């Protein structure tokens, strides 16, 4: 081995193979520690909350929780039938109201609107802002809408559905627009090149290709709506109800409540059995929301297409 | 080329009063032998994107049952011209066309002309194979369905289009499978089949082989030679050998930078029989390009 190459080998040993890593100096480790701490703070608080609630409610994971109505006289068997079915009903009605409106509005903005026109830009900016409006404001708006439509009495299903639909409309519009935008321009050009109209191109190519994104966004929007309590209080769905809306159109004007509202009502009660039931119901609500998110993820994975 | 400063000129042959800072020498284009029977022609075609002058004063004639190739360096406006021929440029915001494009004597940019109807007569094949995310069968059937073509048997029409595109034997057992399962070359021939299923008169091809390997390219070229019997084909290509192999006539474009803004405006330099253009070009710029000295 020549002297020069021996020196080179020594340099390599002292720099490349020194046994230390520059990524492991004090500052890097402190920074990494801070990142871990932030992560754990969020996760630990959430886990502690869920575990604590689950333990508190553990005595009440029984059939009566789902099949019984609320009762203060028999607090040990009080149930959330009205809230659970009310929430399911609300979700169905909200979806029927919000999805067609949201998807059509997004389709117009993406495929038909001329973005050079000032009014289209104003609409766009306002949509972004609407997504940030406090949910209680939508409750107030829904009261007005329902009164105009003709349901004077408060606390009816349709009122709650209108409030929740207004609430998630911006979310649906924004996510649908993103899904439509993700459809490659190639597909549109191919369709136009064959002599298809804008309507045919949108309806037969763009929207079918955007379905996974639209479905994901819609379900995430609905899972936000199912957890809302404030706008429903404003439209009068916060009171205790001992019935389930009738199936069909007639049910729209029936009084109803939602699971979050029922939990909120019970949380104010002093009887320990009722607090236990409320804890169990919170876990139930979490399971419903997780279930909806799981469906969203499944749809996304199943239908996602690589172009 | 010219070192003298650009001057705004308004010469007598300047169409429609457009004045440009392109010097006279650069604007000159050599028109050789033009087709006897033209299906389409452009008349003083100028294309703008907003304020940007993309293509300057193109006069071309596209012969019936001929393959016309448009070649030239990047940014010379050849694809822009192609996209004007079936009004696909309408889809680009800010695009504007001056002059005329005549299809059997009818200006397709005249008032009252429906671009959708234009595209039913003048089909298009794109650079990247772009099949729809549907089955092979539905890819072919889509065009006839959307334009409301009267067909006795869609099955026969699909088979005919696939046979004409020399793809039938390769896909006849998997018509119901996704078109994405095909290779790139097969996808491009599927796109050609999809275009001829609507029975157009003219087929525009925008660098149809640039995303394909040499074997797939030669299949598409064979197909183009076949289709020439029934269709008029206009093809944009980066590949000079391809133009020399398949086309009857060639138009050579180049880009001339505006001396004040630096924007590159496309110009037609020479248009002639392919044989003559490649063996005996009249314009120095054509000669430089085909001999590989620039571009």
């Amino acid at each position: 081995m020549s002297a020069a190459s021996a020196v080179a080998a020594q340099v390599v040993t002292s720099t490349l193979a020194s046994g230390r890593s520059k990524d492991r100096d004090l500052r890097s480790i402190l920074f990494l520690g801070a990142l871990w701490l932030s992560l754990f703070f969020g996760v630990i608080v959430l886990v502690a909350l869920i575990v604590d609630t689950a333990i508190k409610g553990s005595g009440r994971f029984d059939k009566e929780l789902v099949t019984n109505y609320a009762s203060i006289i028999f607090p040990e068997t009080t149930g959330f039938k009205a809230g659970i079915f009310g929430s399911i009903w609300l979700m169905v009605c909200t979806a029927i109201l919000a999805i067609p409106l949201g998807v059509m509005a997004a389709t117009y903005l993406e495929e038909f609107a001329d973005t050079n026109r000032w009014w289209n830009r104003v609409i766009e900016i306002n949509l972004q802002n609407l997504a940030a409006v406090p949910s209680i404001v939508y409750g107030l708006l829904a009261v007005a809408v329902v009164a105009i439509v003709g349901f004077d009495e408060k606390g009816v299903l349709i009122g709650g559905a209108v409030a929740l639909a207004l609430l998630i409309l911006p979310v649906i519009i924004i996510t649908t627009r993103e899904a439509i935008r993700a459809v490659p321009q190639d597909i549109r050009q191919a369709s136009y090149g064959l002599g298809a109209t804008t309507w045919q191109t949108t309806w037969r190519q763009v929207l079918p290709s955007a379905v996974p994104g639209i479905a994901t966004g819609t379900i995430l929007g609905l899972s936000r709506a199912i957890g809302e309590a404030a706008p429903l209080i404003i439209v009068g769905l916060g009171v205790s109800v001992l019935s389930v809306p009738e199936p069909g159109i007639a049910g729209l004007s029936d009084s109803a409540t939602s699971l979050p509202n029922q939990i909120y009502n019970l949380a104010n009660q002093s009887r320990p059995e009722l607090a236990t039931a409320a804890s169990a119901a919170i876990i139930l609500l979490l399971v419903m929301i997780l279930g909806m998110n799981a469906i969203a993820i499944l749809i996304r994975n199943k239908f996602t297409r690589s172009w | 080329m010219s070192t003298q400063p650009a001057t705004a000129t308004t010469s007598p042959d300047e169409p429609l009063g457009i004045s440009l800072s392109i010097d006279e020498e650069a604007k000159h284009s050599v028109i050789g032998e033009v087709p006897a029977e033209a299906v389409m022609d452009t008349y003083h075609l100028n294309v703008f994107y907003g304020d940007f002058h993309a293509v300057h004063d193109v006069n071309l004639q596209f012969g019936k049952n001929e393959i016309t190739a448009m070649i030239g360096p990047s940014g010379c406006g050849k694809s822009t011209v192609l996209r004007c021929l079936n009004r696909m440029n309408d889809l680009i915001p800010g695009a504007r066309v001056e002059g005329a494009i005549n299809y059997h004597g009818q200006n397709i940019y005249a008032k009252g002309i429906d671009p959708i109807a234009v595209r039913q007569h003048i089909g298009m094949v794109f650079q990247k194979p772009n099949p729809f995310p549907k089955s092979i069968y539905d890819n072919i059937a889509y065009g006839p369905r959307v334009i409301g073509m009267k067909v006795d048997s869609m099955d026969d029409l699909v088979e005919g289009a696939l046979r004409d595109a020399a793809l039938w034997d390769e896909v006849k057992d998997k018509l119901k499978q996704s078109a994405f399962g095909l290779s790139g070359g097969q996808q491009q021939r599927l796109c050609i089949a999809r275009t001829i299923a609507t029975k157009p008169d003219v087929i525009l091809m925008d660098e149809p082989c640039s995303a394909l390997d040499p074997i797939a390219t030669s299949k598409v070229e064979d197909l183009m030679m076949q289709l020439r019997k029934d269709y008029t084909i206009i093809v944009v290509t980066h590949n000079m050998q391809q133009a020399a192999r398949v086309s009857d006539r060639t138009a050579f474009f180049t880009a001339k930078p505006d001396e004040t803004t630096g924007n590159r405006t496309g110009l037609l330099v020479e248009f002639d029989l392919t044989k003559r253009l490649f063996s005996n070009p009249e314009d120095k710029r054509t000669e430089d390009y085909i001999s590989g000295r620039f571009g």
Side-chain angles (χ1 to χ4, degrees):
Chain A
M1 196 188 273
S2 72
S5 61
V7 170
Q10 204 175 3
V11 170
V12 167
T13 313
S14 65
T15 55
L16 299 186
S18 64
R20 285 180 297 122
S21 164
K22 287 204 167 114
D23 244 359
R24 286 281 170 274
D25 67 5
L26 185 65
R27 260 201 298 181
S28 301
I29 288 170
L30 279 179
F31 183 59
L32 192 65
L35 293 182
W36 276 97
L37 202 70
S38 314
L39 175 66
F40 276 114
F41 184 76
V43 172
I44 283 175
V45 169
L46 196 64
V47 169
L49 212 65
I50 293 173
V51 169
D52 180 55
T53 311
I55 291 169
K56 272 190 195 149
S58 60
R60 278 308 314 278
F61 291 124
D62 49 26
K63 191 162 69 76
E64 282 81 15
L65 192 75
V66 181
T67 56
N68 281 6
Y69 287 113
S71 164
I72 308 173
I73 301 150
F74 303 108
E76 57 282 345
T77 59
T78 188
F80 291 83
K81 187 176 177 183
I84 292 166
F85 283 90
S87 278
I88 293 172
W89 257 107
L90 277 170
M91 284 309 102
V92 171
C93 296
T94 304
I96 292 171
L97 285 175
I99 293 173
L101 281 177
V103 171
M104 286 194 285
T107 306
Y108 171 76
L109 285 172
E110 278 303 310
E111 300 292 311
F112 293 86
D114 179 355
T115 44
N116 293 324
R117 302 276 175 219
W118 65 268
W119 57 84
N120 286 322
R121 285 206 303 272
V122 169
I123 291 172
E124 274 198 55
I125 292 165
N126 277 304
L127 274 175
Q128 308 283 345
N129 291 338
L130 278 179
V133 167
S135 57
I136 201 151
V137 176
Y138 287 106
L140 289 166
L141 196 58
V143 172
V145 170
V146 172
I148 291 165
V149 172
F151 291 104
D152 291 347
E153 46 190 318
K154 288 188 100 194
V156 294
L157 184 70
I158 184 72
V162 167
L164 295 180
L166 289 172
L167 177 72
I168 65 168
L169 204 50
V171 178
I172 293 182
I173 293 174
I174 289 166
T175 49
T176 302
R177 289 187 68 184
E178 253 145 49
I180 289 175
R181 225 174 292 162
V183 176
Q185 207 59 32
D186 290 359
I187 296 296
R188 293 183 184 85
Q189 293 204 340
S191 181
Y192 288 126
L194 289 167
T197 60
T198 310
W199 158 248
Q200 286 167 329
T201 303
T202 303
W203 187 245
R204 300 195 187 201
Q205 300 294 349
V206 177
L207 284 181
S209 300
V211 160
I214 295 171
T216 312
T218 305
I219 294 172
L220 291 180
L222 285 174
S223 62
R224 179 186 169 190
I226 199 174
E228 282 290 341
L232 295 177
I233 293 174
I234 298 284
V235 290
L237 268 73
V239 294
S240 185
V241 172
L242 296 182
S243 64
V244 167
E246 249 180 80
I249 301 288
L252 292 181
S253 55
D254 285 351
S255 53
T257 188
S258 78
L259 194 49
N261 290 107
Q262 230 190 323
I263 292 167
Y264 174 73
N265 288 341
L266 282 197
N268 292 340
Q269 303 284 342
S270 55
R271 302 283 289 273
E273 295 91 340
L274 294 177
T276 306
S279 296
I282 287 169
I283 298 298
L284 191 67
L285 182 62
L286 279 177
V287 169
M288 286 168 83
I289 292 171
L290 281 178
M292 289 171 77
N293 288 358
I295 292 170
I297 291 166
L298 278 179
I299 289 176
R300 197 174 55 207
N301 290 350
K302 189 159 162 43
F303 293 101
T304 297
R305 190 175 282 124
S306 57
W307 298 97
Chain B
M1 309 239 155
S2 169
T3 49
Q4 65 198 39
T7 47
T9 55
T10 42
S11 60
D13 65 324
E14 191 72 64
L16 310 165
I18 300 158
S19 64
L20 281 165
S21 49
I22 297 174
D23 52 82
E24 283 302 321
E25 187 207 346
K27 271 197 293 195
H28 177 71
S29 49
V30 179
I31 305 292
E33 195 173 323
V34 297
E37 193 187 351
V39 173
M40 294 189 83
D41 65 81
T42 68
Y43 178 77
H44 295 306
L45 178 70
N46 281 276
V47 188
F48 302 84
Y49 295 119
D51 294 333
F52 167 51
H53 193 178
V55 173
H56 171 69
D57 198 33
V58 171
N59 293 286
L60 278 175
Q61 281 154 308
F62 303 104
K64 187 172 167 56
N65 293 8
E66 285 188 1
I67 298 178
T68 307
M70 299 199 279
I71 61 169
S74 301
C76 69
K78 54 193 190 298
S79 285
T80 299
V81 171
L82 189 80
R83 288 168 160 273
C84 289
L85 295 177
N86 71 343
R87 296 195 57 173
M88 286 298 279
N89 258 10
D90 289 18
L91 304 176
I92 300 170
R96 191 158 54 80
V97 166
E98 284 179 12
I101 294 175
N102 298 307
Y103 171 66
H104 291 297
Q106 168 66 57
N107 180 7
I108 60 170
Y109 279 91
K111 257 207 172 114
I113 295 286
D114 178 11
I116 289 155
V118 168
R119 294 181 200 130
Q120 293 175 7
H121 292 274
I122 306 165
M124 190 152 191
V125 176
F126 298 85
Q127 188 169 355
K128 203 177 127 219
N130 56 354
F132 298 124
K134 294 168 180 277
S135 72
I136 292 167
Y137 185 98
D138 287 337
N139 260 279
I140 306 287
Y142 179 78
R145 279 180 189 147
V146 294
I147 65 173
M149 225 163 99
K150 299 246 184 310
V151 285
D152 296 331
S153 159
M154 188 58 88
D155 291 0
D156 290 347
L157 189 142
V158 170
E159 182 177 339
L162 286 169
R163 278 191 191 282
D164 287 349
L167 193 61
W168 175 251
D169 291 332
E170 292 163 61
V171 301
K172 64 183 175 201
D173 299 323
K174 44 181 180 181
L175 291 176
K176 297 289 168 203
Q177 290 175 27
S178 166
F180 285 171
L182 299 175
S183 72
Q186 288 174 325
Q187 286 187 12
Q188 193 61 303
R189 279 181 287 143
L190 178 71
C191 291
I192 294 172
R194 180 175 70 183
T195 304
I196 59 186
T198 58
K199 307 257 186 279
D201 190 13
V202 181
I203 302 175
L204 310 177
M205 297 185 174
D206 189 2
E207 301 188 29
C209 301
S210 64
L212 306 182
D213 63 60
I215 295 168
T217 298
S218 91
K219 282 188 179 166
V220 171
E221 286 179 8
D222 289 347
L223 176 57
M224 287 165 72
M225 305 291 272
Q226 285 283 314
L227 294 174
R228 186 174 60 157
K229 294 190 192 87
D230 303 308
Y231 304 92
T232 298
I233 297 175
I234 303 165
V235 59
V236 160
T237 178
H238 249 106
N239 183 336
M240 277 187 282
Q241 284 76 23
Q242 181 170 62
R245 278 194 298 265
V246 301
S247 71
D248 299 288
R249 267 171 239 274
T250 300
F252 170 65
F253 290 77
T254 194
K256 175 78 183 165
D258 184 303
E259 307 209 358
T260 46
T261 61
N263 287 333
R264 289 158 67 88
T265 299
L267 303 160
L268 175 64
V269 175
E270 189 160 354
F271 176 53
D272 208 339
L273 289 170
T274 300
K275 264 189 241 135
R276 196 174 302 157
L277 188 128
F278 278 98
S279 61
N280 194 12
E282 300 239 338
D283 196 291
K284 178 81 170 51
R285 291 167 289 175
T286 316
E287 193 185 327
D288 287 349
Y289 184 72
I290 60 175
S291 58
R293 250 168 276 172
F294 88 100

